[in-house]
Amino acid sequence: MRGAQKTFSEPGKPAIEVLSGVDLDVAEHEFVCLLGPSGCGKSTLLNMCAGFESIDGGTIAIDGEPVMGPDPRRVFVFQEYAIFPWMSVWDNIAFGLQGRSDAQRHEIARHYIELVGLEGFERAYPRELSGGMKQRVGVARALAVNPDILYMDEPFGALDSLTRLNLRSQLIQIWRREKKTILFVTHDIDEATQLGQRVVVMSARPARIKTIVDLSGLAYPRDIDSAEYIQARDRLFEEMGVSTRV
Ligand SMILES: Nc1ncnc2c1ncn2[C@@H]1O[C@H](COP(=O)(O)OP(=O)(O)OP(=O)(O)O)[C@@H](O)[C@H]1O
Ligand SMILES: [Mg+2]
């Protein structure tokens, strides 16, 4: 992405400049976190990458091709559980596989149900599941269509801290196994330190890239008690202008 720029303007209201000239390159199979204060423009940037939102200046290209709109090779996992309440776990996960044979759908759905640990809940409906389980259905459904890129917008934001920790470690395992490129938006410093190979720290609105912190030296699974982890996390606190003392 080069010089990505976005301004929202509505008649009769002052225009809101949300992004001013964002440059970023993401490598294939990389896990990149976008970290920034609430309202800075993270979701807007992710929506532009995914083709849900237009770009007002600059370019966003994937494999050299400008993003023109949503593409099934790239899927989005939202903060709110974007699964169908009237479909079972199984049908939700198999939803994107309509072009496949029954045998293939079965095999793929089975694989992702196991991957996210929902065996035994295939016939359950979303209302019968906990928040964390619903979010796992969302992740499995996104993975089942075998995308190259996963865009994740605070997917674990609505969950309690233990469930979040658990799902982050599952996500890391899945990412390492399935070799996806992941762009993950968060405003949670710990989440970014646990997940990202690189963390892109954004400024308040209009968002620019303040700095990019390279955490590729921190091996997975990350030990949140290790000195290196704490050092990396403190660096992100500093870059975000937040004190580590409460
Ligand atoms: N469709 C829209 N029309 C007008 N303004 C918008 C629109 N979408 C977002 N904005 C504005 O753009 C700014 C950035 O919003 P965005 O949702 O990208 O922030 P964010 O960094 O994702 O915040 P959060 O961490 O709270 O999710 C906000 O001031 C918001 O009011
Ligand atoms: Mg947002």
Side-chain angles (χ1 to χ4, degrees), residues 144-187:
V145 297
N146 194 25
D148 305 329
I149 304 178
L150 275 176
Y151 296 110
M152 307 187 84
D153 191 358
E154 309 210 32
F156 309 141
L159 306 171
D160 68 90
S161 56
L162 274 182
T163 308
R164 301 177 74 172
L165 207 56
N166 203 311
L167 287 183
R168 284 176 204 153
S169 92
Q170 282 189 357
L171 179 64
I172 288 294
Q173 286 171 32
I174 291 170
W175 164 69
R176 295 175 78 188
R177 212 175 312 167
E178 305 259 317
K179 304 225 175 351
K180 305 294 180 196
T181 305
I182 300 184
L183 216 52
F184 189 107
V185 161
T186 182
H187 59 245

Side-chain angles (χ1 to χ4, degrees), residues 34-159:
L34 298 174
L35 176 69
S38 184
C40 76
K42 303 179 296 296
S43 296
T44 304
L45 183 60
L46 204 65
N47 284 325
M48 286 160 66
C49 293
F52 296 143
E53 195 76 76
S54 62
I55 185 166
D56 293 336
T59 50
I60 299 180
I62 300 172
D63 293 336
E65 278 177 39
V67 172
M68 304 299 278
D71 183 314
R73 288 171 297 172
R74 294 137 205 170
V75 300
F76 210 97
V77 182
F78 299 90
Q79 172 166 6
E80 302 298 328
Y81 326 112
I83 56 177
F84 301 123
W86 61 88
M87 283 186 191
S88 67
V89 166
W90 180 279
D91 289 337
N92 262 291
I93 292 174
F95 177 74
L97 303 172
Q98 270 132 358
R100 315 283 192 120
S101 70
D102 283 355
Q104 276 179 330
R105 286 184 75 177
H106 190 88
E107 191 186 324
I108 296 170
R110 170 95 275 130
H111 173 72
Y112 288 100
I113 283 171
E114 276 171 26
L115 199 66
V116 298
L118 284 171
E119 302 101 319
F121 292 93
E122 293 84 350
R123 294 282 141 231
Y125 283 84
R127 64 173 181 278
E128 302 168 82
L129 306 176
S130 70
M133 290 162 89
K134 280 188 260 199
Q135 209 49 278
R136 281 186 273 159
V137 175
V139 171
R141 190 174 71 179
L143 287 168
V145 297
N146 194 25
D148 305 329
I149 304 178
L150 275 176
Y151 296 110
M152 307 187 84
D153 191 358
E154 309 210 32
F156 309 141
L159 306 171

Side-chain angles (χ1 to χ4, degrees), residues 12 30 144 160 171 185 197 201 224 226:
E30 199 180 8
D160 68 90
L171 179 64
V185 161
Q197 290 177 303
V201 181
I224 60 175
S226 69

